[in-house]
Amino acid sequence: MAQSQSALETTQTTVEVRATGHVRDALGTPKLSFTFEGDTLREFVDAFFAEYDVRDLVIAETEAESATRGWAPIDADDVPGELRKNPDGEQTRAYARILVNGQFNENLAGFDTKLNAGDRVALVNPFLFCL
């Protein structure tokens, strides 16, 4: 059976990437355009981190990397609304975040968030100074 032309076509999406702190330093620029195959944040993250070696600055591989000591414990029963975080493997490092058009990805559809051409994806890992 021959595949239809639309099945052979791959969606490409171009987004504007913004970077702060450690990610900006590693990239050498605070902003760039990035085109990738697909239209989800998951596909963007896979393609972007394959091209730019900044995954370890953003993504937590373990639960311990996604939090830091000194944070107040959370009793989910006392939090108004719905307390959500990304599933294991999709969590950001402590203090690092991924935003789509100014919204934290976990407040959208996580890594399944749909991206459109021209969307802004921010990779945030701020410098922290203690005096």
Side-chain angles (χ1 to χ4, degrees):
M1 262 169 61
Q3 291 182 336
S4 69
Q5 182 64 22
S6 62
L8 296 176
E9 293 176 9
T10 302
T11 301
Q12 286 198 330
T13 307
T14 300
V15 296
E16 298 302 315
V17 178
R18 301 294 189 261
T20 67
H22 297 289
V23 180
R24 182 194 69 216
D25 276 0
L27 294 176
T29 184
K31 61 183 177 178
L32 59 96
S33 288
F34 185 75
T35 301
F36 64 98
E37 290 187 11
D39 63 356
T40 66
L41 184 59
R42 181 181 317 281
E43 291 163 320
F44 162 81
V45 165
D46 289 344
F48 192 82
F49 293 151
E51 187 163 334
Y52 297 97
D53 188 23
V54 295
R55 179 183 179 84
D56 290 345
L57 296 174
V58 180
I59 302 298
E61 297 298 329
T62 66
E63 185 71 28
E65 290 176 344
S66 69
T68 186
R69 67 181 179 85
W71 283 8
I74 296 175
D75 182 358
D77 294 331
D78 291 337
V79 176
E82 182 181 340
L83 179 63
R84 294 182 288 183
K85 70 177 195 175
N86 288 328
D88 289 343
E90 297 180 14
Q91 294 178 14
T92 55
R93 297 183 74 77
Y95 306 113
R97 300 302 286 262
I98 299 175
L99 296 90
V100 176
N101 296 323
Q103 295 186 335
F104 296 127
N105 72 317
E106 65 267 18
N107 292 335
L108 299 168
F111 279 19
D112 294 323
T113 300
K114 291 287 185 190
L115 298 177
N116 297 302
D119 281 352
R120 288 181 326 274
V121 177
L123 304 174
V124 177
N125 187 337
F127 299 117
L128 299 175
F129 298 97
C130 297
L131 300 174

